[in-house]
Amino acid sequence: MPIEASEVAIAGRSEKRLTRSRSGTTTVPPPTPSRALKKPATKPMRTSRTGNRPIVRSVPSEDVLARLAGDPQRAAILLDVDGTLAPIVPRPEDARVPDDAKRELSRLATSYGLVACISGRTGEDARRLVQVEGVRYVGTHGLELEPEAERWRVPIHEFAATVDWPVEDKGLSVSFHYREAADEEAALEYLEGVAERARVAGLVPRFGRKVLELRPPVQADKGTAVRRLLAESGLGRALYAGDNTTDLDAFGALEGLELGVRVAVSSDEAPAELVRSADVIVGSPQELLGLLRRL
């Protein structure tokens, strides 16, 4: 039985896990889909498999969540959206953030120094999905905060037009999903070829949870977004929660803070490195909601 979020133990970096995880490589590929896709593509991805039970870590010291909640005006709550607040669904346009999660975000936004959603979606799309006032929305993995990314908008879309695959247009980036591909192996093989062509064209390909994203060659990621948001807000304490490879950049941005709490939302598709790097691990967006209620 999965443990309740209220029972999740908080971890220190050097502590041993109470439950072991087995990590392997999940190969996620696809052939030409029979209908338009809207989900992200993935290269063979390191995963952490724990069945229905999330990985738990413990630490015999003070509860870092209590420390964070003890002075909320000095802290930021930073969250990914898909797979973190909203459960993963076959088609991204069908995703939704549960109403109880929206209520928690609204409550947190009234007490914390900053509450922000940092998404692979556009900021406008993330706002539409979350629908909570008082929350800051940053889209396209932080690219929207970088003015130099704008000049790559046309080249990226010109390249995408040469790819025989349904495309998700994110403005400053594009994504090719293969979650619904009839043959994932063939799909992944095809998209790996697309990724290589994109590199030659000067673009930056990045695989995620069953998606290939093409980005401009601009130094921007969820980590740069986290640093900028914290600097603008003058905050030295933060919690970041995410479920995917791109969230590792945000984890890294918490280094050196007075207090940084890294939360991994684990699943069979979660990168093993994300799980290893986390201070707290929950097994689903619903368990993350239980954690947020403690803040």
Side-chain angles (χ1 to χ4, degrees):
M1 291 288 292
I3 62 171
E4 295 299 322
S6 60
E7 299 177 74
V8 173
I10 310 307
R13 285 306 164 100
S14 61
E15 298 301 319
K16 296 181 179 178
R17 296 177 187 170
L18 298 181
T19 32
R20 290 178 173 273
S21 68
R22 296 177 57 192
S23 58
T25 300
T26 299
T27 304
V28 267
T32 305
S34 57
R35 59 194 176 103
L37 305 180
K38 285 276 187 181
K39 244 304 146 213
T42 329
K43 196 151 186 151
M45 177 181 286
R46 300 290 296 176
T47 64
S48 179
R49 300 183 179 277
T50 58
N52 292 323
R53 185 178 181 82
I55 300 168
V56 183
R57 300 183 182 189
S58 65
V59 64
S61 60
E62 61 185 317
D63 185 332
V64 291
L65 294 185
R67 288 181 59 199
L68 202 71
D71 195 353
Q73 280 299 311
R74 295 177 57 203
I77 305 298
L78 310 169
L79 306 165
D80 173 43
V81 178
D82 291 276
T84 300
L85 287 173
I88 291 292
V89 293
R91 298 170 62 84
E93 64 269 31
D94 295 333
R96 67 178 291 271
V97 175
D99 290 341
D100 50 359
K102 293 179 181 180
R103 285 191 290 270
E104 277 308 302
L105 285 181
S106 182
R107 177 187 66 83
L108 293 170
T110 64
S111 57
Y112 277 78
L114 171 68
V115 175
C117 289
I118 305 175
S119 177
R121 296 172 180 262
T122 65
E124 181 181 352
D125 197 24
R127 180 186 296 276
R128 176 197 62 77
L129 181 59
V130 179
Q131 296 181 335
V132 176
E133 293 301 318
V135 172
R136 176 83 178 269
Y137 297 95
V138 176
T140 327
H141 304 293
L143 279 171
E144 291 180 354
L145 299 179
E146 305 298 332
E148 62 268 34
E150 183 60 38
R151 73 181 186 88
W152 287 91
R153 186 185 296 268
V154 171
I156 283 177
H157 287 84
E158 288 178 345
F159 180 89
T162 71
V163 179
D164 186 19
W165 198 268
V167 61
E168 180 185 7
D169 183 357
K170 297 182 178 181
L172 296 174
S173 71
V174 293
S175 291
F176 303 97
H177 299 266
Y178 63 91
R179 183 173 295 276
E180 292 188 319
D183 182 344
E184 287 193 350
E185 230 178 275
L188 181 58
E189 182 178 354
Y190 176 75
L191 290 175
E192 285 177 332
V194 172
E196 186 54 40
R197 286 201 297 116
R199 288 188 190 94
V200 173
L203 304 178
V204 179
R206 190 165 188 174
F207 283 88
R209 291 180 68 172
K210 299 190 179 182
V211 63
L212 168 65
E213 182 179 46
L214 303 183
R215 299 158 47 88
V218 173
Q219 183 53 47
D221 51 44
K222 289 186 176 181
T224 61
V226 166
R227 291 185 185 93
R228 180 170 297 206
L229 290 175
L230 293 178
E232 289 177 355
S233 306
L235 301 173
R237 298 181 171 198
L239 176 148
Y240 183 90
D243 73 307
N244 206 349
T245 306
T246 56
D247 298 305
L248 282 165
D249 297 318
F251 276 16
L254 301 189
E255 294 290 346
L257 294 183
E258 176 188 344
L259 177 62
V261 184
R262 301 159 183 82
V263 181
V265 181
S266 184
S267 70
D268 282 353
E269 295 178 357
E273 186 178 356
L274 186 80
V275 174
R276 285 195 300 267
S277 302
D279 303 302
V280 183
I281 303 154
V282 295
S284 66
Q286 184 61 34
E287 290 186 3
L288 175 67
L289 174 59
L291 183 151
L292 294 178
R293 286 174 173 149
R294 298 171 59 187
L295 296 175

